[in-house]
Amino acid sequence: MSMKRTNVYADPEDLAIIKAAAKRRGISEAEIIRQGIHLAAMANRVWDEPLFSRTFEGAGRTLDRSEVRDTVADAVRHETEAGTAA
């Protein structure tokens, strides 16, 4: 993987924690910082698709537990049957 160098300012206490963790885990401080950057990048990513892109027809009221279970089971059964027919 290609890397790009950057400079950042960090709190000395955070750096001390990273230094201790790197020593304890037997990895470099840079690796811990790269992991943190990756987590920050993923937490702030804007996804191309909405989390829920599917819509379902509803009954116009709140379903009870058995109705939800039956509806989900029917949807799974339908998708399974469609997948085996292909």
Side-chain angles (χ1 to χ4, degrees), residues 20-55:
K23 184 176 181 183
R24 185 177 60 252
R25 294 175 58 196
I27 62 175
S28 69
E29 294 171 44
E31 181 58 27
I32 292 176
I33 293 168
R34 280 191 289 273
Q35 291 171 0
I37 290 171
H38 180 69
L39 290 173
M42 292 296 98
N44 290 285
R45 181 176 178 183
V46 176
W47 300 91
D48 295 336
E49 297 179 14
L51 182 60
F52 299 105
S53 60
R54 300 167 84 188
T55 58

Side-chain angles (χ1 to χ4, degrees), residues 51-83:
L51 182 60
F52 299 105
S53 60
R54 300 167 84 188
T55 58
F56 300 93
E57 289 185 28
R61 60 181 174 75
T62 302
L63 302 177
D64 65 30
R65 182 180 299 207
S66 65
E67 291 173 307
V68 170
R69 185 179 51 244
D70 293 343
T71 302
V72 171
D74 289 344
V76 169
R77 196 174 309 113
H78 175 74
E79 285 193 14
T80 303
E81 290 169 358

